Amino acid sequence: MRAFAVTSAKRAEQGPEIPTIMESGIEDFEVTVWQGYAVPRKTPEFYVQKIHAAMMKALESPDLKQRFFDNGVAALPTTPEEFTRFVRDDTAKWDKVIKISGAKVE
């Protein structure tokens, strides 16, 4: 099996010789899988920051970094505010794709 391209905006650390779809000629093509965590909307800021600090500490663990790498995962830690913007923007992106495609739930 041979990889022809990755769908992320940047080449994967695990296979730096594999070009991106954008490098292969398709403009503005980026499809990634992401995960994050959320808390209820009215969670006091003290707890939001405490949870965030614990997550950032966990993401610095050499063992976790290696497990992510081995599974082809690139951790991209952000602030709670940056993650909120990311989710909003990604939702808008896929809403547009769904509308253009005409996809319907059956």
Side-chain angles (χ1 to χ4, degrees):
M1 187 179 287
R2 181 175 156 228
F4 290 102
V6 295
T7 61
S8 54
K10 295 180 181 176
R11 291 183 180 211
E13 189 178 347
Q14 295 85 346
E17 72 285 357
I18 304 168
T20 68
I21 293 283
M22 287 188 277
E23 289 174 321
S24 299
I26 300 176
E27 292 181 21
D28 297 326
F29 188 99
E30 180 181 7
V31 178
T32 58
V33 175
W34 55 266
Q35 296 179 2
Y37 62 93
V39 296
R41 185 178 304 268
K42 295 188 182 209
T43 301
E45 187 63 22
F46 169 80
Y47 294 110
V48 172
Q49 292 305 320
K50 191 169 180 132
I51 293 166
H52 179 69
M55 293 298 291
M56 294 300 100
K57 183 177 180 183
L59 289 172
E60 287 300 317
S61 160
D63 181 53
L64 185 56
K65 284 182 178 184
Q66 187 62 51
R67 289 179 68 184
F68 278 0
F69 182 86
D70 291 347
N71 287 288
V73 175
L76 302 171
T78 65
T79 66
E81 296 78 19
E82 289 168 333
F83 184 64
T84 297
R85 279 191 299 278
F86 171 80
V87 171
R88 183 191 62 228
D89 293 349
D90 205 50
T91 299
K93 169 186 168 178
W94 290 108
D95 279 347
K96 183 178 177 181
V97 169
I98 290 166
K99 285 178 184 152
I100 291 169
S101 77
K104 304 279 185 220
V105 175
E106 294 183 15

